Amino acid sequence: VEDIFALLISVIFLVGAVRSLVEAYYDLSKAAAFQTTLLCIGTFGFTRWLQSLKRSRCTCRPIREILGNFSVAIAIIVFSGIAAIWRDEVAIQWLEVSNEFRPTMDDKQTDGARPWVVNPFGVDKDFPVWA
């Protein structure tokens, strides 16, 4: 059951990534869509290469394990840096991040940000039993 659920989650993320790539060719310029594709494929390939180092005899074992275990994070950081080099020349899509650090959901009663700690018993009404 766990393997089927993990497969389902993986398929959902893969379909989302492919959909974003296809939409880039409709929504962005040709150069931006091509760069988005290169960054996607490059991040995936670099991640796989770092993971393959774990099984090689390239360097000492602790370094191989660190590179293999953190391969996804390392690849995202490296290719985000590569994308930042051409930030002004090619208009690719960037993750929008707020200027301030606060909860994104607004509280309807106070007209401000909701508190960081959420009441597990509900605020306006009780949470449903199944939750």
Side-chain angles (χ1 to χ4, degrees), residues 25 48 64 80 88 114 121 123 126:
Y25 280 91
R48 297 295 296 170
R64 288 192 320 246
S80 294
D88 296 330
R114 70 162 174 81
F121 300 109
V123 177
D126 290 338

Side-chain angles (χ1 to χ4, degrees), residues 85-99:
I85 294 172
W86 290 288
R87 186 177 189 128
D88 296 330
E89 287 84 15
V90 180
I92 62 171
Q93 291 178 334
W94 288 86
L95 178 65
E96 294 181 21
V97 180
S98 175
N99 291 334

Side-chain angles (χ1 to χ4, degrees), residues 60-67:
C60 64
R61 184 180 179 136
I63 292 176
R64 288 192 320 246
E65 287 189 10
I66 289 172
L67 290 175

Side-chain angles (χ1 to χ4, degrees), residues 27 42-43 57 75 118 123 126-127:
D27 299 338
T43 304
R57 297 200 177 270
V118 178
V123 177
D126 290 338
F127 279 141

Side-chain angles (χ1 to χ4, degrees), residues 27-88:
D27 299 338
L28 303 175
S29 68
K30 183 178 180 180
F34 184 65
Q35 184 178 1
T36 301
T37 304
L38 288 178
L39 290 171
C40 179
I41 293 171
T43 304
F44 176 75
F46 191 57
T47 300
R48 297 295 296 170
W49 180 73
L50 286 174
Q51 288 175 346
S52 72
L53 289 179
K54 201 173 187 179
R55 294 179 300 276
S56 71
R57 297 200 177 270
C58 184
T59 182
C60 64
R61 184 180 179 136
I63 292 176
R64 288 192 320 246
E65 287 189 10
I66 289 172
L67 290 175
N69 291 338
F70 295 101
S71 60
V72 174
I74 294 168
I76 289 173
I77 290 168
V78 167
F79 276 86
S80 294
I82 291 171
I85 294 172
W86 290 288
R87 186 177 189 128
D88 296 330

